Amino acid sequence: MTDERSPIDPHQIRKRALDALTTARERTALLTTCVEDPDLMAQHSPLMSPLAWDLAHIGNQEELWLLRTVARREAMRPEIDGIYDAFEHPRAERPSLPLLPPDEARRYAAEVRGRALDVLESTPFEGHRLTEAGFAFGMIAQHEQQHDETMLITHQLRKGPQALTAPDPEPVPPYTGPSEVLVPGGPFTMGTSTEPWALDNERPAHQRVVPAFHIDATPVTNAAYQAFIEDGGYGDERWWTPEGWAHIRTHGIDAPLFWRREGGQWLRRRFGVTEVVPPAEPVLHVCWYEADAYARWAGRRLPTETEWEKAARHDPETGRSRRYPWGDADPAPEHANLGQRHLRPAPVGSYPAGASPLGIRQLMGDVWEWTASAFLPYPGFTAFPYKEYSEVFFGPEYKVLRGGSFAVDPVACRGTFRNWDYPIRRQIFSGFRTARDA
């Protein structure tokens, strides 16, 4: 049995959609009320939008898909569509647009949500692909959570005092398990054709044959990455691709983003707080070029996207692909560091209940993991419901990340979920693990 799900009744669909939409909106409120309005309207980095833009964009997308497309209602605020079209205005331009002030953006998003919940109550969940199993509502919940993660990145980039707080992950004993795990060769089912809220780039399910390989049992730690730095890794051209070497030399990069050396130790800034870099945490805020260089220095390589998914989903005993490393059950707190419960990765070796069948830890949550692969469509890919979600990004200029981070909500994180970004990006919550041929 591979890639199968039980049918979901309408009551369950409505409850799941309502819970997902409510959770997302509560998080959006937290991220946009913890600072004053001037901070919401400011652009804290040219890489990011003002928080107020994200807030109104969330409402605008919900109106576009749930009210206009699903319910076929007239537009509430058609004059703002262009302002909040992510493809019409790059992020660097958005502060100069006539943005809705924060209070007005909140009122607009709240009014949209009230009407969307009415639509949820009356929508049949069959007969149309967009509403089948509540897909449109799940898509909007995922969209809002993805922007919540983006807004959390903006909070990390903003200067000034701490605005967000959360408890730290539970301490765990130092990890003493194997450093790597052998993943047997052979076929497995990649992607999905049946996960109700899976996005187009995760589809369809298809067979891949993967030679045996070894993969790290945990993500690469800060301590391990510091060894690369101390060994002169940033100054040795041997470990870098030509593009990566040119990038770090041009921009003077010699450590992960937000790190600095002071008094013989490495410090980092994390959401307005300066602290000693914790050695046992997965390394965070490294670009693909840095991850690739470390892997070369260590005599290893980054796993391909196919290898990563096989390590995360394939059960060698049954031959089937699971939804998550631990099985088919939705993520729970004992499985992974997800949902902004914490504002940092957990130490490596955490969440043994979330390990894969082969014992690989923390494949979900904590840090997005760079893979060696370019972002490309699966065989039989069909864009749905719009080309701009995935299709326009396919190509070698984007690298795939897998597994989610502490900033990702479970609704936007699956064993099949694919993220992508330019190989220079470091503001994202990205880390990695390495692999080698068997």
Side-chain angles (χ1 to χ4, degrees), residues 250-303:
T250 299
H251 296 278
I253 295 171
D254 59 5
L257 187 60
F258 307 116
W259 285 30
R260 74 172 192 269
R261 189 156 190 129
E262 188 175 296
Q265 62 183 352
W266 284 103
L267 306 178
R268 73 176 181 189
R269 180 172 61 81
R270 183 179 59 85
F271 298 107
V273 176
T274 298
E275 61 188 14
V276 176
V277 171
E281 281 186 13
V283 67
L284 185 63
H285 295 302
V286 290
C287 70
W288 185 90
Y289 292 131
E290 290 170 292
D292 179 68
Y294 172 94
R296 293 167 188 259
W297 169 82
R300 299 170 69 81
R301 59 178 174 79
L302 295 178

Side-chain angles (χ1 to χ4, degrees), residues 194-362:
T194 57
E195 183 73 29
W197 291 358
L199 303 170
D200 60 3
N201 63 60
E202 302 170 62
R203 301 171 182 270
H206 58 287
Q207 288 287 302
R208 294 281 180 100
V209 177
V210 185
F213 64 98
H214 295 271
I215 192 167
D216 289 341
T218 67
V220 171
T221 64
N222 287 321
Y225 199 84
Q226 284 177 33
F228 167 67
I229 297 173
E230 302 304 333
D231 195 46
Y234 279 90
D236 193 332
E237 190 175 356
R238 287 180 298 166
W239 313 128
W240 301 83
T241 64
E243 298 84 2
W245 182 249
H247 178 70
I248 66 161
R249 305 306 287 177
T250 299
H251 296 278
I253 295 171
D254 59 5
L257 187 60
F258 307 116
W259 285 30
R260 74 172 192 269
R261 189 156 190 129
E262 188 175 296
Q265 62 183 352
W266 284 103
L267 306 178
R268 73 176 181 189
R269 180 172 61 81
R270 183 179 59 85
F271 298 107
V273 176
T274 298
E275 61 188 14
V276 176
V277 171
E281 281 186 13
V283 67
L284 185 63
H285 295 302
V286 290
C287 70
W288 185 90
Y289 292 131
E290 290 170 292
D292 179 68
Y294 172 94
R296 293 167 188 259
W297 169 82
R300 299 170 69 81
R301 59 178 174 79
L302 295 178
T304 66
E305 181 184 15
T306 305
E307 288 173 334
W308 190 98
E309 186 168 323
K310 183 170 186 180
R313 298 185 63 212
H314 182 66
D315 185 343
E317 287 193 8
T318 64
R320 68 181 295 267
S321 291
R322 300 173 166 193
R323 293 179 69 210
Y324 299 97
W326 55 85
D328 293 342
D330 289 338
E334 67 270 19
H335 292 135
N337 181 8
L338 294 164
Q340 201 182 309
R341 296 197 316 272
H342 312 296
L343 289 171
R344 64 195 308 151
V348 297
S350 297
Y351 307 106
S356 75
L358 295 172
I360 306 168
R361 303 280 186 98
Q362 290 164 284

